[in-house]
Amino acid sequence: MDDDAEHRLDRAFLALADPVRRGIIARLSRGPATVNELAEPTSITVQAVSRHIKVLEEAGLVSRTRDAQRRPVHLEPGRLEELTAWIDRFRLIHEQRYRNLDALLRAAPERTPETETGS
Amino acid sequence: MDDDAEHRLDRAFLALADPVRRGIIARLSRGPATVNELAEPTSITVQAVSRHIKVLEEAGLVSRTRDAQRRPVHLEPGRLEELTAWIDRFRLIHEQRYRNLDALLRAAPERTPETETGS
DNA sequence: CCCTTATTCAACTGATTTGTTGAATACGAA
DNA sequence: TTCGTATTCAACAAATCAGTTGAATAAGGG
């Protein structure tokens, strides 16, 4: 994995490490919304929400279009998919390792401490 | 989702937002390792790695056991699974929404601007 | 007990983050 | 143009983070 991909993961995971930004992602999964619409249900200012959106945008998790003076924000599901791919890769390696270990113990149990005490 | 669950997601996503910590997760997917083993291939001090492990532990992504004076670190796949569950939930809501929208456009295309210019 | 190894804690620094307020910019309506 | 709405930029303060070095703790081996 090159530095660019690493940096992209940095920004994407960091972007999700905030409840306000995860709330924005959750809202956008139901469809596009403007900055003001996203700020309305929260207790923070519109400016703060605008900066949260900037973080999400630089992480590649959302994009913005232009509609008169509004800038609707859209979810970009591709980046979310990259994150689950990263996580699942190592989750499955780990799972496979334990499956192999389990099979090994099952096939030749006579030398393992666990089976000695268990007999 | 309660505050505890939110805070847990905060810490877990933040823990993954660092290339050193992701490297540790990748290494641990192949099996447990000690702090020194984890620090050896990196260019940072053992103390810094120890603190990274603490972050991962507080995020619930790894756990530590005791083996004489060593403290082997183990991957905890359950928390990784929670993260993919969170991401996939909204990724699939979004995907479903676009499937529905697409079906709607296909069923009644006569009033939509796109199909008017497209004909 | 003394020595070595493994690990963690404490204090400090520089960089980054998150929120605020106030000012600036972009666009459309009247 | 003038006004109003939507959004962003700039500057600031408080908090957090990631690294360092140096000291402390824990556990075995001689």
Side-chain angles (χ1 to χ4, degrees), chain B residues 20 79-80:
Chain B
V20 174
R79 187 55 47 86
L80 287 178

Side-chain angles (χ1 to χ4, degrees), chain B residues 81-93:
Chain B
E81 203 169 354
E82 279 183 42
L83 299 184
T84 56
W86 188 92
I87 295 174
D88 283 342
R89 178 176 161 200
F90 296 108
R91 198 158 68 78
L92 296 179
I93 288 173

Side-chain angles (χ1 to χ4, degrees), chain B residues 38-107:
Chain B
L38 291 169
E40 195 272 324
T42 77
S43 58
I44 62 179
T45 62
V46 174
Q47 291 97 316
V49 171
S50 176
R51 198 144 59 178
H52 279 302
I53 292 168
K54 191 178 182 185
V55 171
L56 289 167
E57 190 178 28
E58 284 170 352
L61 290 164
V62 308
S63 63
R64 276 184 277 202
T65 53
R66 169 68 74 179
D67 169 32
Q69 68 267 64
R70 263 152 250 113
R71 308 284 314 274
V73 187
H74 305 257
L75 187 63
E76 286 290 337
R79 187 55 47 86
L80 287 178
E81 203 169 354
E82 279 183 42
L83 299 184
T84 56
W86 188 92
I87 295 174
D88 283 342
R89 178 176 161 200
F90 296 108
R91 198 158 68 78
L92 296 179
I93 288 173
H94 184 261
E95 196 177 286
Q96 190 58 45
R97 188 189 124 84
Y98 274 80
R99 250 204 293 277
N100 291 345
L101 198 62
D102 196 51
L104 201 66
L105 292 177
R106 224 178 282 278

Side-chain angles (χ1 to χ4, degrees), chain A residues 3 7 13-14 17 21 28 32 36 41 43 50 60 67 69 77 104 107:
Chain A
D3 266 15
H7 202 222
F13 278 125
L14 184 65
R21 288 194 290 260
L28 294 180
N36 272 287
S43 58
S50 176
D67 169 31
Q69 67 269 62
L104 200 66

